[in-house]
Short mmCIF file of all heavy atoms in Angstrom, two decimals:
data_model
loop_
_atom_site.label_atom_id
_atom_site.label_comp_id
_atom_site.label_asym_id
_atom_site.label_seq_id
_atom_site.Cartn_x
_atom_site.Cartn_y
_atom_site.Cartn_z
N ALA A 250 -27.40 -2.56 20.60
CA ALA A 250 -28.38 -3.27 19.78
C ALA A 250 -28.52 -4.74 20.17
O ALA A 250 -29.57 -5.34 19.98
CB ALA A 250 -27.99 -3.17 18.30
N ASN A 251 -27.46 -5.34 20.67
CA ASN A 251 -27.53 -6.79 20.92
C ASN A 251 -27.27 -7.20 22.37
O ASN A 251 -27.28 -8.39 22.68
CB ASN A 251 -26.58 -7.54 19.97
CG ASN A 251 -25.14 -7.04 20.11
OD1 ASN A 251 -24.67 -6.78 21.20
ND2 ASN A 251 -24.43 -6.92 19.00
N ALA A 252 -27.03 -6.23 23.27
CA ALA A 252 -26.71 -6.58 24.66
C ALA A 252 -27.79 -7.46 25.31
O ALA A 252 -27.44 -8.48 25.94
CB ALA A 252 -26.48 -5.31 25.48
N PRO A 253 -29.10 -7.15 25.18
CA PRO A 253 -30.09 -8.01 25.85
C PRO A 253 -30.00 -9.45 25.38
O PRO A 253 -30.04 -10.38 26.18
CB PRO A 253 -31.44 -7.37 25.48
CG PRO A 253 -31.12 -5.97 25.09
CD PRO A 253 -29.73 -6.00 24.51
N LYS A 254 -29.85 -9.63 24.07
CA LYS A 254 -29.81 -10.98 23.52
C LYS A 254 -28.55 -11.73 23.99
O LYS A 254 -28.62 -12.88 24.42
CB LYS A 254 -29.83 -10.91 21.99
CG LYS A 254 -29.65 -12.26 21.36
CD LYS A 254 -29.89 -12.23 19.88
CE LYS A 254 -29.66 -13.64 19.35
NZ LYS A 254 -30.43 -13.94 18.20
N ILE A 255 -27.40 -11.08 23.93
CA ILE A 255 -26.15 -11.77 24.30
C ILE A 255 -26.13 -12.07 25.80
O ILE A 255 -25.75 -13.17 26.22
CB ILE A 255 -24.92 -10.95 23.83
CG1 ILE A 255 -24.88 -10.98 22.29
CG2 ILE A 255 -23.63 -11.50 24.43
CD1 ILE A 255 -23.72 -10.27 21.64
N LEU A 256 -26.57 -11.10 26.61
CA LEU A 256 -26.56 -11.37 28.05
C LEU A 256 -27.53 -12.50 28.40
O LEU A 256 -27.21 -13.35 29.23
CB LEU A 256 -26.88 -10.09 28.85
CG LEU A 256 -25.63 -9.39 29.38
CD1 LEU A 256 -24.74 -8.90 28.26
CD2 LEU A 256 -25.97 -8.27 30.34
N SER A 257 -28.70 -12.51 27.78
CA SER A 257 -29.62 -13.60 28.15
C SER A 257 -29.05 -14.95 27.73
O SER A 257 -29.21 -15.94 28.44
CB SER A 257 -31.05 -13.37 27.67
OG SER A 257 -31.06 -13.18 26.31
N LYS A 258 -28.32 -14.99 26.61
CA LYS A 258 -27.67 -16.25 26.22
C LYS A 258 -26.61 -16.64 27.25
O LYS A 258 -26.49 -17.81 27.61
CB LYS A 258 -27.01 -16.10 24.84
CG LYS A 258 -27.97 -16.30 23.68
CD LYS A 258 -27.18 -16.45 22.38
CE LYS A 258 -28.09 -16.60 21.19
NZ LYS A 258 -27.36 -16.56 19.91
N LEU A 259 -25.85 -15.66 27.72
CA LEU A 259 -24.80 -15.97 28.71
C LEU A 259 -25.43 -16.51 30.00
O LEU A 259 -24.89 -17.42 30.63
CB LEU A 259 -23.97 -14.71 29.06
CG LEU A 259 -23.00 -14.21 28.00
CD1 LEU A 259 -22.30 -12.94 28.47
CD2 LEU A 259 -21.96 -15.27 27.64
N PHE A 260 -26.58 -15.94 30.38
CA PHE A 260 -27.22 -16.41 31.61
C PHE A 260 -27.77 -17.84 31.49
O PHE A 260 -28.04 -18.47 32.50
CB PHE A 260 -28.32 -15.43 32.05
CG PHE A 260 -27.80 -14.26 32.84
CD1 PHE A 260 -27.95 -12.96 32.39
CD2 PHE A 260 -27.15 -14.47 34.06
CE1 PHE A 260 -27.46 -11.89 33.11
CE2 PHE A 260 -26.66 -13.38 34.80
CZ PHE A 260 -26.81 -12.09 34.32
N GLU A 261 -27.93 -18.32 30.27
CA GLU A 261 -28.37 -19.72 30.13
C GLU A 261 -27.30 -20.68 30.67
O GLU A 261 -27.60 -21.77 31.13
CB GLU A 261 -28.64 -20.05 28.64
CG GLU A 261 -29.92 -19.43 28.13
CD GLU A 261 -30.04 -19.54 26.60
OE1 GLU A 261 -29.27 -20.30 25.98
OE2 GLU A 261 -30.91 -18.83 26.05
N ALA A 262 -26.02 -20.23 30.58
CA ALA A 262 -24.94 -21.13 30.99
C ALA A 262 -24.23 -20.69 32.28
O ALA A 262 -23.41 -21.43 32.81
CB ALA A 262 -23.91 -21.23 29.85
N HIS A 263 -24.52 -19.47 32.73
CA HIS A 263 -23.79 -18.95 33.91
C HIS A 263 -24.77 -18.31 34.90
O HIS A 263 -25.70 -17.63 34.48
CB HIS A 263 -22.77 -17.89 33.48
CG HIS A 263 -21.73 -18.40 32.54
ND1 HIS A 263 -20.55 -18.96 32.96
CD2 HIS A 263 -21.72 -18.47 31.18
CE1 HIS A 263 -19.85 -19.34 31.90
NE2 HIS A 263 -20.54 -19.06 30.81
N LYS A 264 -24.48 -18.48 36.18
CA LYS A 264 -25.33 -17.86 37.22
C LYS A 264 -24.96 -16.40 37.42
O LYS A 264 -25.77 -15.58 37.83
CB LYS A 264 -25.12 -18.62 38.55
CG LYS A 264 -25.88 -19.93 38.62
CD LYS A 264 -26.05 -20.35 40.09
CE LYS A 264 -27.16 -21.34 40.29
NZ LYS A 264 -27.15 -22.46 39.35
N LYS A 265 -23.66 -16.09 37.14
CA LYS A 265 -23.18 -14.72 37.39
C LYS A 265 -22.37 -14.25 36.19
O LYS A 265 -21.57 -15.01 35.66
CB LYS A 265 -22.29 -14.74 38.64
CG LYS A 265 -21.70 -13.40 38.98
CD LYS A 265 -21.24 -13.29 40.42
CE LYS A 265 -19.99 -13.99 40.76
NZ LYS A 265 -19.44 -13.67 42.08
N ILE A 266 -22.60 -13.00 35.77
CA ILE A 266 -21.75 -12.45 34.71
C ILE A 266 -21.28 -11.04 35.12
O ILE A 266 -21.88 -10.38 35.96
CB ILE A 266 -22.45 -12.41 33.33
CG1 ILE A 266 -23.58 -11.38 33.33
CG2 ILE A 266 -22.98 -13.75 32.88
CD1 ILE A 266 -23.87 -10.92 31.93
N ILE A 267 -20.18 -10.64 34.48
CA ILE A 267 -19.65 -9.28 34.70
C ILE A 267 -20.01 -8.47 33.45
O ILE A 267 -19.72 -8.91 32.34
CB ILE A 267 -18.12 -9.32 34.90
CG1 ILE A 267 -17.77 -10.17 36.12
CG2 ILE A 267 -17.53 -7.92 35.00
CD1 ILE A 267 -16.28 -10.51 36.25
N PHE A 268 -20.68 -7.32 33.65
CA PHE A 268 -21.01 -6.46 32.51
C PHE A 268 -20.29 -5.12 32.69
O PHE A 268 -20.47 -4.44 33.70
CB PHE A 268 -22.53 -6.25 32.38
CG PHE A 268 -22.87 -5.25 31.29
CD1 PHE A 268 -22.76 -5.61 29.96
CD2 PHE A 268 -23.24 -3.95 31.61
CE1 PHE A 268 -23.04 -4.69 28.95
CE2 PHE A 268 -23.51 -3.02 30.61
CZ PHE A 268 -23.41 -3.39 29.28
N LEU A 269 -19.55 -4.69 31.66
CA LEU A 269 -18.72 -3.48 31.73
C LEU A 269 -18.97 -2.57 30.55
O LEU A 269 -19.27 -3.07 29.48
CB LEU A 269 -17.23 -3.87 31.65
CG LEU A 269 -16.72 -4.94 32.61
CD1 LEU A 269 -15.33 -5.35 32.19
CD2 LEU A 269 -16.72 -4.39 34.01
N PRO A 270 -18.67 -1.28 30.65
CA PRO A 270 -18.41 -0.51 31.86
C PRO A 270 -19.61 0.39 32.22
O PRO A 270 -19.54 1.14 33.17
CB PRO A 270 -17.21 0.36 31.47
CG PRO A 270 -17.46 0.68 30.03
CD PRO A 270 -18.26 -0.48 29.45
N ASP A 271 -20.72 0.31 31.42
CA ASP A 271 -21.81 1.28 31.60
C ASP A 271 -22.76 0.85 32.72
O ASP A 271 -23.55 -0.08 32.55
CB ASP A 271 -22.57 1.44 30.28
CG ASP A 271 -23.56 2.59 30.32
OD1 ASP A 271 -23.93 3.03 31.43
OD2 ASP A 271 -23.98 3.06 29.25
N GLU A 272 -22.68 1.58 33.83
CA GLU A 272 -23.48 1.23 35.00
C GLU A 272 -24.98 1.35 34.72
O GLU A 272 -25.78 0.49 35.13
CB GLU A 272 -23.08 2.15 36.16
CG GLU A 272 -23.76 1.81 37.44
CD GLU A 272 -23.37 2.75 38.57
OE1 GLU A 272 -22.87 3.86 38.30
OE2 GLU A 272 -23.57 2.36 39.73
N LEU A 273 -25.36 2.43 34.01
CA LEU A 273 -26.80 2.64 33.78
C LEU A 273 -27.37 1.59 32.82
O LEU A 273 -28.43 1.02 33.06
CB LEU A 273 -27.07 4.06 33.26
CG LEU A 273 -26.65 5.19 34.22
CD1 LEU A 273 -26.96 6.55 33.61
CD2 LEU A 273 -27.34 5.05 35.57
N MET A 274 -26.61 1.33 31.75
CA MET A 274 -27.05 0.27 30.83
C MET A 274 -27.11 -1.06 31.57
O MET A 274 -28.04 -1.86 31.37
CB MET A 274 -26.11 0.17 29.63
CG MET A 274 -26.59 -0.83 28.60
SD MET A 274 -25.44 -1.02 27.24
CE MET A 274 -25.82 0.40 26.26
N GLY A 275 -26.13 -1.29 32.44
CA GLY A 275 -26.10 -2.53 33.23
C GLY A 275 -27.34 -2.65 34.11
O GLY A 275 -27.95 -3.71 34.22
N LYS A 276 -27.73 -1.52 34.73
CA LYS A 276 -28.94 -1.55 35.58
C LYS A 276 -30.18 -1.83 34.73
O LYS A 276 -31.08 -2.55 35.14
CB LYS A 276 -29.09 -0.21 36.32
CG LYS A 276 -28.09 -0.05 37.46
CD LYS A 276 -28.32 1.25 38.20
CE LYS A 276 -27.40 1.33 39.41
NZ LYS A 276 -27.48 2.61 40.10
N ASN A 277 -30.23 -1.22 33.54
CA ASN A 277 -31.38 -1.46 32.65
C ASN A 277 -31.44 -2.92 32.22
O ASN A 277 -32.52 -3.52 32.16
CB ASN A 277 -31.29 -0.56 31.41
CG ASN A 277 -31.46 0.91 31.76
OD1 ASN A 277 -32.18 1.24 32.71
ND2 ASN A 277 -30.81 1.79 31.03
N LEU A 278 -30.27 -3.49 31.94
CA LEU A 278 -30.24 -4.90 31.53
C LEU A 278 -30.64 -5.81 32.69
O LEU A 278 -31.37 -6.78 32.51
CB LEU A 278 -28.83 -5.27 31.03
CG LEU A 278 -28.46 -4.70 29.66
CD1 LEU A 278 -26.95 -4.75 29.42
CD2 LEU A 278 -29.20 -5.46 28.56
N ALA A 279 -30.14 -5.48 33.89
CA ALA A 279 -30.47 -6.30 35.07
C ALA A 279 -31.98 -6.33 35.26
O ALA A 279 -32.58 -7.38 35.51
CB ALA A 279 -29.78 -5.73 36.30
N LYS A 280 -32.62 -5.15 35.10
CA LYS A 280 -34.07 -5.08 35.28
C LYS A 280 -34.79 -5.88 34.19
O LYS A 280 -35.68 -6.69 34.49
CB LYS A 280 -34.52 -3.62 35.25
CG LYS A 280 -35.89 -3.42 35.79
CD LYS A 280 -36.21 -1.98 36.02
CE LYS A 280 -37.68 -1.85 36.39
NZ LYS A 280 -38.18 -0.51 36.16
N ALA A 281 -34.37 -5.70 32.94
CA ALA A 281 -35.03 -6.40 31.83
C ALA A 281 -34.88 -7.91 31.95
O ALA A 281 -35.79 -8.66 31.59
CB ALA A 281 -34.46 -5.91 30.51
N LEU A 282 -33.73 -8.36 32.47
CA LEU A 282 -33.48 -9.80 32.53
C LEU A 282 -33.80 -10.37 33.91
O LEU A 282 -33.58 -11.55 34.17
CB LEU A 282 -32.00 -10.09 32.18
CG LEU A 282 -31.56 -9.65 30.78
CD1 LEU A 282 -30.05 -9.79 30.61
CD2 LEU A 282 -32.28 -10.44 29.69
N ASN A 283 -34.28 -9.50 34.80
CA ASN A 283 -34.66 -9.91 36.15
C ASN A 283 -33.48 -10.53 36.92
O ASN A 283 -33.61 -11.62 37.48
CB ASN A 283 -35.86 -10.88 36.04
CG ASN A 283 -36.58 -10.99 37.36
OD1 ASN A 283 -36.46 -10.11 38.22
ND2 ASN A 283 -37.29 -12.10 37.56
N LYS A 284 -32.35 -9.83 36.90
CA LYS A 284 -31.15 -10.32 37.58
C LYS A 284 -30.76 -9.38 38.71
O LYS A 284 -30.95 -8.16 38.61
CB LYS A 284 -29.98 -10.44 36.59
CG LYS A 284 -30.23 -11.41 35.45
CD LYS A 284 -30.32 -12.85 35.93
CE LYS A 284 -30.80 -13.78 34.84
NZ LYS A 284 -31.10 -15.14 35.29
N LYS A 285 -30.19 -9.95 39.76
CA LYS A 285 -29.83 -9.17 40.95
C LYS A 285 -28.43 -8.54 40.78
O LYS A 285 -27.45 -9.27 40.58
CB LYS A 285 -29.79 -10.12 42.15
CG LYS A 285 -30.81 -9.77 43.20
CD LYS A 285 -30.57 -10.62 44.42
CE LYS A 285 -30.83 -9.80 45.63
NZ LYS A 285 -31.93 -9.96 46.34
N ILE A 286 -28.39 -7.21 40.89
CA ILE A 286 -27.10 -6.52 40.77
C ILE A 286 -26.23 -6.85 41.98
O ILE A 286 -26.70 -6.82 43.12
CB ILE A 286 -27.32 -4.99 40.66
CG1 ILE A 286 -28.07 -4.68 39.37
CG2 ILE A 286 -26.00 -4.22 40.72
CD1 ILE A 286 -28.60 -3.28 39.24
N GLY A 287 -24.98 -7.19 41.71
CA GLY A 287 -24.05 -7.52 42.81
C GLY A 287 -23.97 -9.01 43.05
O GLY A 287 -22.94 -9.51 43.51
N ALA A 288 -25.07 -9.73 42.76
CA ALA A 288 -25.07 -11.18 42.97
C ALA A 288 -25.00 -11.91 41.63
O ALA A 288 -24.12 -12.73 41.39
CB ALA A 288 -26.33 -11.60 43.73
N GLU A 289 -25.92 -11.54 40.72
CA GLU A 289 -25.96 -12.23 39.42
C GLU A 289 -25.30 -11.42 38.31
O GLU A 289 -24.81 -11.98 37.33
CB GLU A 289 -27.41 -12.52 39.03
CG GLU A 289 -28.07 -13.52 39.99
CD GLU A 289 -29.56 -13.57 39.79
OE1 GLU A 289 -30.24 -12.55 40.08
OE2 GLU A 289 -30.07 -14.59 39.32
N ILE A 290 -25.34 -10.11 38.44
CA ILE A 290 -24.70 -9.27 37.42
C ILE A 290 -23.81 -8.24 38.14
O ILE A 290 -24.28 -7.49 39.00
CB ILE A 290 -25.74 -8.64 36.46
CG1 ILE A 290 -25.06 -7.78 35.39
CG2 ILE A 290 -26.80 -7.84 37.16
CD1 ILE A 290 -25.95 -7.47 34.18
N ILE A 291 -22.54 -8.27 37.78
CA ILE A 291 -21.55 -7.39 38.42
C ILE A 291 -21.34 -6.20 37.48
O ILE A 291 -21.05 -6.40 36.29
CB ILE A 291 -20.21 -8.14 38.65
CG1 ILE A 291 -20.43 -9.46 39.38
CG2 ILE A 291 -19.18 -7.25 39.34
CD1 ILE A 291 -21.08 -9.35 40.74
N LEU A 292 -21.47 -5.00 38.03
CA LEU A 292 -21.38 -3.82 37.17
C LEU A 292 -20.15 -2.97 37.50
O LEU A 292 -19.59 -3.06 38.59
CB LEU A 292 -22.64 -2.96 37.33
CG LEU A 292 -23.97 -3.66 37.00
CD1 LEU A 292 -25.13 -2.69 37.20
CD2 LEU A 292 -23.97 -4.19 35.58
N TRP A 293 -19.76 -2.13 36.56
CA TRP A 293 -18.70 -1.14 36.74
C TRP A 293 -19.36 0.22 36.89
O TRP A 293 -20.60 0.32 36.79
CB TRP A 293 -17.72 -1.22 35.55
CG TRP A 293 -16.50 -0.37 35.69
CD1 TRP A 293 -16.16 0.73 34.94
CD2 TRP A 293 -15.42 -0.56 36.62
NE1 TRP A 293 -14.96 1.22 35.35
CE2 TRP A 293 -14.49 0.46 36.39
CE3 TRP A 293 -15.18 -1.49 37.65
CZ2 TRP A 293 -13.31 0.59 37.13
CZ3 TRP A 293 -14.01 -1.37 38.38
CH2 TRP A 293 -13.08 -0.34 38.12
N LYS A 294 -18.57 1.28 37.10
CA LYS A 294 -19.16 2.59 37.40
C LYS A 294 -19.06 3.59 36.25
O LYS A 294 -19.11 4.80 36.45
CB LYS A 294 -18.50 3.17 38.65
CG LYS A 294 -16.97 3.15 38.59
CD LYS A 294 -16.36 3.63 39.89
CE LYS A 294 -14.86 3.81 39.80
NZ LYS A 294 -14.05 2.61 39.64
N GLY A 295 -18.92 3.11 35.00
CA GLY A 295 -18.82 4.03 33.86
C GLY A 295 -20.16 4.69 33.53
O GLY A 295 -21.22 4.12 33.78
N ARG A 296 -20.09 5.89 33.02
CA ARG A 296 -21.31 6.62 32.59
C ARG A 296 -21.04 7.33 31.27
O ARG A 296 -19.93 7.80 31.04
CB ARG A 296 -21.68 7.71 33.60
CG ARG A 296 -21.97 7.25 35.02
CD ARG A 296 -23.39 6.74 35.10
NE ARG A 296 -23.69 6.29 36.44
CZ ARG A 296 -24.53 6.92 37.27
NH1 ARG A 296 -25.12 8.04 36.89
NH2 ARG A 296 -24.79 6.43 38.46
N CYS A 297 -22.08 7.44 30.46
CA CYS A 297 -21.98 8.29 29.27
C CYS A 297 -22.33 9.70 29.72
O CYS A 297 -23.42 9.93 30.27
CB CYS A 297 -22.96 7.81 28.21
SG CYS A 297 -23.26 9.09 26.97
N ILE A 298 -21.44 10.66 29.46
CA ILE A 298 -21.66 12.05 29.91
C ILE A 298 -22.85 12.71 29.21
O ILE A 298 -23.32 13.75 29.63
CB ILE A 298 -20.41 12.94 29.70
CG1 ILE A 298 -19.87 12.77 28.27
CG2 ILE A 298 -19.35 12.66 30.75
CD1 ILE A 298 -18.89 13.85 27.84
N VAL A 299 -23.30 12.12 28.11
CA VAL A 299 -24.47 12.67 27.41
C VAL A 299 -25.75 12.09 28.01
O VAL A 299 -26.63 12.82 28.46
CB VAL A 299 -24.39 12.33 25.90
CG1 VAL A 299 -25.65 12.76 25.17
CG2 VAL A 299 -23.16 12.99 25.28
N HIS A 300 -25.83 10.77 28.05
CA HIS A 300 -27.10 10.13 28.42
C HIS A 300 -27.39 10.12 29.91
O HIS A 300 -28.54 10.04 30.32
CB HIS A 300 -27.13 8.70 27.86
CG HIS A 300 -27.17 8.68 26.35
ND1 HIS A 300 -26.05 8.57 25.58
CD2 HIS A 300 -28.22 8.81 25.49
CE1 HIS A 300 -26.39 8.61 24.29
NE2 HIS A 300 -27.69 8.76 24.21
#
Side-chain angles (χ1 to χ4, degrees):
N251 57 40
K254 175 171 179 150
I255 292 182
L256 262 63
S257 56
K258 277 193 182 172
L259 288 178
F260 277 118
E261 286 169 13
H263 299 271
K264 281 200 160 47
K265 179 160 74 170
I266 69 156
I267 299 169
F268 174 74
L269 308 169
D271 190 341
E272 185 181 20
L273 298 181
M274 184 183 280
K276 286 183 175 175
N277 293 329
L278 287 164
K280 196 168 172 201
L282 300 172
N283 198 21
K284 299 293 171 189
K285 243 188 142 105
I286 295 169
E289 294 168 293
I290 181 163
I291 309 300
L292 301 180
W293 187 247
K294 51 185 188 292
R296 300 279 180 110
C297 162
I298 49 165
V299 174
H300 293 95

